[in-house]
Amino acid sequence: MVKKSFSNMACSLARALGIIGEWWSMLIVRDFFLGNGVRRFEQLRDSLGISRNILTERLKTLTEAGVIERVPLREGGKRCAYKLTDQGVDLMPTMVAMMQWGEKWQSEPKQRLVVVREKATGDEIAPLCLRNQGGEPLSMRDLYLTAVGPHGEQVVKEWPPDWITDSDQLPASTLKH
Amino acid sequence: MVKKSFSNMACSLARALGIIGEWWSMLIVRDFFLGNGVRRFEQLRDSLGISRNILTERLKTLTEAGVIERVPLREGGKRCAYKLTDQGVDLMPTMVAMMQWGEKWQSEPKQRLVVVREKATGDEIAPLCLRNQGGEPLSMRDLYLTAVGPHGEQVVKEWPPDWITDSDQLPASTLKH
DNA sequence: CAGAAAAGTTCTATGATGCAACTAATTTTG
DNA sequence: CAAAATTAGTTGCATCATAGAACTTTTCTG
């Protein structure tokens, strides 16, 4: 079941987590990508080692959220396959971002299951990075974040201040709440 | 506590999920970004509405994984702040990917909390997209996935086949397992 | 038509989470 | 300096989620 408290939050990250933030959800999505976007119940179960009842629940959540849809195998029949919708396919960057992060920082054991390559060259795709509207890569120092407040105004935060990487010294504002 | 069964999987996505896939983890990370990378216990609690014991656990998990670190406020003192490590800061693309997806597809209510902008122009950053090593954007049709098998060989999957978007017809391979 | 497989459902045991109350340090206030 | 408040937790209890196994029903195969 979707985490109700997340789904209604005024934050697109929280709403996303309400759907794909549950245990197994993203792994199920990964399996769909490995299956050309289509999988069947037992196939998912076998490849993930998930319990049937949990899989049933996750498929329901994902279906209700519009990430996957049921495709009946015979008209009027009860059996079906599941496939990614456009919304589901659009989880690719999220999945890749997590895979790349995991590979860079959590590489014990040093194994991976999925590699994404360019058809034209066979090369692996590049690490994801944030870019401006013109397509130029941006580093952390090129960015700032705004927090949308209760009255619609935006409170600007400078990012990242020097002390983050340069020392362990904390600014006064952190000391006095 | 980290999901043990995920952390040892031969998949970088699963290992990432072992750390950031728990309820609250990514929202905690988001809060760190909004706080210039630094937050204190009560600050996180107030802004997220999370229980203290769960927050304690998450901070421990994230600390052990190396995503954040404790910064003592006074030497020898027990009180501390927490700040993102480089590894934690590197979750930015993952966070942005999820936020952008949530905003595009799960936009009820139509609110958001965080906006990422370019310092130079004030423009919002572009939607994340996969690119090749040369920096050219790639669409789904430009990609293929390989699944790394148990013996190191890679099984190629074509992606996406036409029937995914063109019709609800399923290929024979789906019908006969 | 008999047997197997597919796609669940139901049951129970265990683990994770939320809430409230309590504690021990530190900091602030009078 | 003593009293009060704040911070950063810990502990106990109730509830929800998850894993695992057994059971059911529909569909497919020989």
Side-chain angles (χ1 to χ4, degrees):
Chain A
M1 208 160 303
V2 170
K3 185 112 170 183
K4 174 167 81 316
S5 52
F6 281 15
S7 296
N8 297 323
M9 276 180 163
C11 174
S12 55
L13 174 64
R15 289 196 303 272
L17 286 168
I19 294 156
I20 58 168
E22 295 177 297
W23 288 124
W24 294 114
S25 295
M26 280 305 293
L27 291 180
I28 291 172
V29 169
R30 177 203 68 184
D31 222 64
F32 274 103
F33 277 111
L34 285 176
N36 289 331
V38 183
R39 290 267 112 151
R40 291 179 61 179
F41 191 90
E42 289 301 316
Q43 225 172 354
L44 290 164
R45 214 204 75 83
D46 290 348
S47 110
L48 295 170
I50 186 177
S51 321
R52 290 164 196 282
N53 52 353
I54 303 301
L55 179 56
T56 301
E57 241 179 56
R58 289 294 168 277
L59 291 175
K60 209 174 81 178
T61 298
L62 292 172
T63 304
E64 284 168 2
V67 173
I68 57 176
E69 60 186 351
R70 293 171 63 97
V71 185
L73 296 177
R74 297 270 176 272
E75 29 229 288
K78 212 182 154 193
R79 295 200 186 167
C80 65
Y82 295 88
K83 64 172 240 193
L84 291 174
T85 59
D86 289 345
Q87 185 184 157
V89 172
D90 207 36
L91 279 169
M92 186 79 154
T94 299
M95 187 185 74
V96 168
M98 297 177 88
M99 284 190 345
Q100 289 180 341
W101 184 86
E103 204 174 314
K104 181 169 175 187
W105 298 101
Q106 305 292 327
S107 42
E108 284 311 320
K110 236 178 204 32
Q111 294 170 352
R112 54 182 180 164
L113 189 61
V114 187
V115 184
V116 184
R117 296 185 183 278
E118 185 186 12
K119 270 184 192 163
T121 62
D123 288 342
E124 204 168 329
I125 59 166
L128 275 173
C129 86
L130 307 190
R131 297 177 183 248
N132 65 15
Q133 298 294 338
E136 308 287 332
L138 299 170
S139 85
M140 279 294 162
R141 307 229 163 233
D142 302 323
L143 302 174
Y144 68 98
L145 290 161
T146 63
V148 180
H151 304 302
E153 86 281 20
Q154 303 193 340
V155 183
V156 178
K157 304 274 185 178
E158 279 292 320
W159 171 270
D162 288 340
W163 53 264
I164 280 248
T165 40
D166 295 355
S167 86
D168 282 340
Q169 212 56 33
L170 289 169
S173 65
T174 309
L175 292 173
K176 44 172 26 187
H177 175 138
Chain B
M1 210 160 300
V2 171
K3 185 112 173 184
K4 175 168 82 313
S5 52
F6 280 14
S7 296
N8 298 323
M9 276 181 162
C11 173
S12 55
L13 174 65
R15 291 194 303 274
L17 286 168
I19 294 155
I20 58 168
E22 296 177 296
W23 287 125
W24 293 113
S25 295
M26 280 304 293
L27 291 180
I28 291 172
V29 169
R30 178 203 66 184
D31 223 64
F32 274 103
F33 278 110
L34 284 177
N36 289 331
V38 184
R39 290 266 111 150
R40 292 179 61 179
F41 191 90
E42 289 301 318
Q43 224 172 356
L44 289 165
R45 214 204 75 83
D46 291 347
S47 110
L48 295 170
I50 187 178
S51 326
R52 289 163 196 281
N53 51 353
I54 302 301
L55 179 56
T56 300
E57 243 178 54
R58 290 294 168 277
L59 291 174
K60 208 174 82 180
T61 298
L62 291 172
T63 304
E64 284 168 2
V67 173
I68 57 176
E69 61 186 351
R70 293 172 61 97
V71 184
L73 296 178
R74 298 268 176 272
E75 29 230 288
K78 212 181 154 194
R79 294 199 186 167
C80 66
Y82 295 88
K83 63 172 241 195
L84 291 174
T85 59
D86 288 346
Q87 185 184 156
V89 172
D90 207 36
L91 279 169
M92 185 78 154
T94 299
M95 186 184 76
V96 168
M98 296 176 89
M99 284 190 345
Q100 289 180 342
W101 184 85
E103 204 175 314
K104 182 169 175 186
W105 298 101
Q106 306 292 329
S107 42
E108 286 307 321
K110 236 178 202 33
Q111 293 170 353
R112 55 182 181 165
L113 190 60
V114 186
V115 183
V116 184
R117 296 185 183 278
E118 186 187 11
K119 271 184 193 164
T121 62
D123 287 343
E124 204 168 331
I125 58 167
L128 276 172
C129 87
L130 307 189
R131 295 177 184 250
N132 65 14
Q133 298 294 337
E136 306 288 330
L138 299 170
S139 85
M140 280 292 162
R141 307 230 164 231
D142 302 323
L143 302 173
Y144 68 97
L145 291 161
T146 64
V148 181
H151 304 300
E153 85 282 21
Q154 302 193 340
V155 183
V156 178
K157 304 274 184 177
E158 279 291 320
W159 172 268
D162 288 340
W163 52 265
I164 279 247
T165 39
D166 295 354
S167 87
D168 282 340
Q169 211 57 30
L170 288 168
S173 65
T174 308
L175 292 173
K176 44 172 26 184
H177 176 134

